[in-house]
């Protein structure tokens, strides 16, 4: 337990995940969340391709304008998200992460939810 080499994708803010937000970050790793799923700051939403953790905006909305573009909006096609069982989640987490179990969901989260506090804590413990 706690020996995973890859980092995780951590949500920066609270709200519903959007297809636009997921589409922007899906090339950075494997996602555990789908559009319209509820997310909160500190929630682990995927596994990063790199070794370090990465804070991402999963709730990002597409900006709407009055301008018509020559290339009209394309339909966003997303990869299938990965759903983990309780046992798989317990094997997956590192020492600074927790598994949250509710009647409807099994979620992964960071022990320290606030992004700035987590960065301060990590910087202090790497010295």
């Amino acid at each position: 337990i706690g020996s995973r080499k890859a980092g995780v994708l951590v949500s920066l803010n609270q709200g519903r995940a959007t297809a636009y937000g997921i589409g922007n970050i899906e090339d950075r790793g494997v996602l555990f969340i789908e559009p319209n799923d509820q997310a909160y700051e500190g929630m682990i939403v995927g596994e990063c391709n790199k070794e370090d953790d990465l804070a991402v905006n999963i709730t990002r909305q597409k900006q709407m304008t009055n301008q018509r573009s020559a290339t009209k909006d394309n339909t966003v096609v997303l990869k299938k998200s990965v759903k983990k069982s309780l046992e798989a989640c317990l094997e997956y987490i590192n020492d600074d992460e927790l598994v949250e179990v509710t009647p409807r969901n099994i979620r992964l989260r960071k022990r320290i939810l606030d992004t700035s506090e987590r960065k301060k804590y990590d910087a202090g413990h790497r010295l």
Side-chain angles (χ1 to χ4, degrees):
I1 296 177
S3 62
R4 182 183 69 236
K5 298 284 184 202
V8 291
L9 300 172
V10 183
S11 178
L12 270 174
N13 44 16
Q14 183 173 346
R16 294 227 176 253
T18 63
Y20 183 73
I22 290 173
N24 285 332
I25 63 166
E26 102 179 319
D27 61 335
R28 298 180 188 248
V30 178
L31 295 173
F32 306 149
I33 194 168
E34 295 180 350
N36 258 351
D37 286 351
Q38 190 68 30
Y40 56 88
E41 184 177 8
M43 180 177 166
I44 297 173
V45 295
E47 181 176 321
C48 191
N49 293 335
K50 306 202 189 272
E51 290 183 18
D52 294 330
D53 294 345
L54 181 64
V56 295
N57 185 357
I58 200 87
T59 62
R60 186 174 184 183
Q61 296 282 336
K62 185 173 183 176
Q63 297 296 319
M64 301 305 241
T65 64
N66 284 337
Q67 300 287 325
R68 302 263 192 245
S69 66
T71 59
K72 66 180 201 182
D73 294 338
N74 295 329
T75 305
V76 178
V77 178
L78 301 174
K79 297 176 192 169
K80 182 81 173 140
S81 66
V82 175
K83 298 294 181 189
K84 292 184 178 283
S85 66
L86 179 59
E87 293 82 13
C89 287
L90 290 173
E91 290 177 10
Y92 184 79
I93 62 172
N94 279 343
D95 294 336
D96 66 334
E97 299 165 353
L98 302 171
V99 177
E100 194 176 85
V101 181
T102 64
R104 293 184 182 208
N105 297 312
I106 298 173
R107 295 187 206 108
L108 300 172
R109 60 166 266 194
K110 286 296 200 177
R111 188 176 298 269
I112 301 172
L113 294 176
D114 186 70
T115 304
S116 59
E117 292 295 320
R118 191 171 51 251
K119 286 181 181 180
K120 288 178 192 175
Y121 180 81
D122 289 344
H125 281 78
R126 288 188 183 180
L127 298 176

